[in-house]
Amino acid sequence: MIIVLSLLFDGWVAKLLLSDVYQILDENRTSNELVSALNDEKTAFEAYMRSMDDERSLAQLDAAITKTKAVLRKFPSDYEKLGELRDLKRWSIENAYEVYSIERDSLIAWAKDNDVSVEKLYQVYDMQDYLIKYSQDLMGLTISTGNDVYTAM
């Protein structure tokens, strides 16, 4: 009987450890996906702005935007789960991405019928760099938090 209880207890502990490890890996993957998606979107935007009337580059930009939005939705908006710093970074990225999206879309619409404003173009590039930097910071915090949880096991 003691052996059976011991095996059940060991199985329960292993399940808890594995679920924590899975959560750490999943959070790290999602953070990395965000950095990658934002970089892909920046590359696609640059390619589209160089060509402007290329349907293929517009389709690539649309796909990159869709991917970025999908990754942003993966992040839980749960303060208790993320902690103060990670939740603050997530919130900042989400809000900055909304502002950036408006500016990006406005520039694209304007540029279809007019000359591209270099000032506006570089403003959008700066917003992209800000988003990428913040997503890298979030990834660093996520990895650090995961390491802390893993070390505490």
Side-chain angles (χ1 to χ4, degrees), residues 103-121:
E103 292 297 319
R104 178 200 63 220
D105 295 346
S106 174
L107 179 62
I108 289 170
W110 171 263
K112 286 181 180 176
D113 298 325
N114 303 287
D115 289 336
V116 175
S117 163
V118 174
E119 182 180 332
K120 291 258 187 215
L121 181 63

Side-chain angles (χ1 to χ4, degrees), residues 131-142:
L131 284 164
I132 291 167
K133 168 75 171 93
Y134 257 54
S135 67
Q136 290 169 336
D137 292 348
L138 177 60
M139 184 171 64
L141 286 169
T142 301

Side-chain angles (χ1 to χ4, degrees), residues 4-39:
V4 171
L5 289 175
S6 177
L7 288 173
L8 288 173
F9 180 74
D10 288 345
W12 178 74
V13 169
K15 181 180 177 186
L16 285 177
L17 290 175
L18 287 176
S19 69
D20 285 345
V21 169
Y22 174 77
Q23 181 178 347
I24 291 167
L25 292 174
D26 189 51
E27 290 175 359
N28 288 348
R29 180 180 47 81
T30 303
S31 296
N32 186 49
E33 284 178 355
L34 180 59
V35 173
S36 178
L38 287 166
N39 278 310

Side-chain angles (χ1 to χ4, degrees), residues 30-142:
T30 303
S31 296
N32 186 49
E33 284 178 355
L34 180 59
V35 173
S36 178
L38 287 166
N39 278 310
D40 291 348
E41 183 174 331
K42 180 179 181 177
T43 300
F45 177 77
E46 289 171 349
Y48 177 71
M49 293 307 292
R50 279 193 302 272
S51 65
M52 288 303 297
D53 56 355
D54 180 17
E55 291 298 319
R56 182 171 177 237
S57 64
L58 179 58
Q60 289 174 337
L61 177 58
D62 287 341
I65 290 168
T66 300
K67 179 181 174 186
T68 302
K69 289 178 180 180
V71 174
L72 281 170
R73 284 192 298 272
K74 286 184 179 181
F75 281 96
S77 56
D78 183 353
Y79 178 86
E80 295 298 320
K81 181 177 180 182
L82 292 176
E84 182 178 4
L85 288 177
R86 286 175 49 202
D87 189 55
L88 181 61
K89 288 288 183 191
R90 178 206 54 80
W91 183 86
S92 295
I93 291 167
E94 283 183 4
N95 286 295
Y97 189 81
E98 286 180 30
V99 172
Y100 152 76
S101 295
I102 293 167
E103 292 297 319
R104 178 200 63 220
D105 295 346
S106 174
L107 179 62
I108 289 170
W110 171 263
K112 286 181 180 176
D113 298 325
N114 303 287
D115 289 336
V116 175
S117 163
V118 174
E119 182 180 332
K120 291 258 187 215
L121 181 63
Y122 279 92
Q123 183 181 6
V124 171
Y125 287 157
D126 288 344
M127 292 173 139
Q128 290 170 331
D129 291 339
Y130 170 86
L131 284 164
I132 291 167
K133 168 75 171 93
Y134 257 54
S135 67
Q136 290 169 336
D137 292 348
L138 177 60
M139 184 171 64
L141 286 169
T142 301

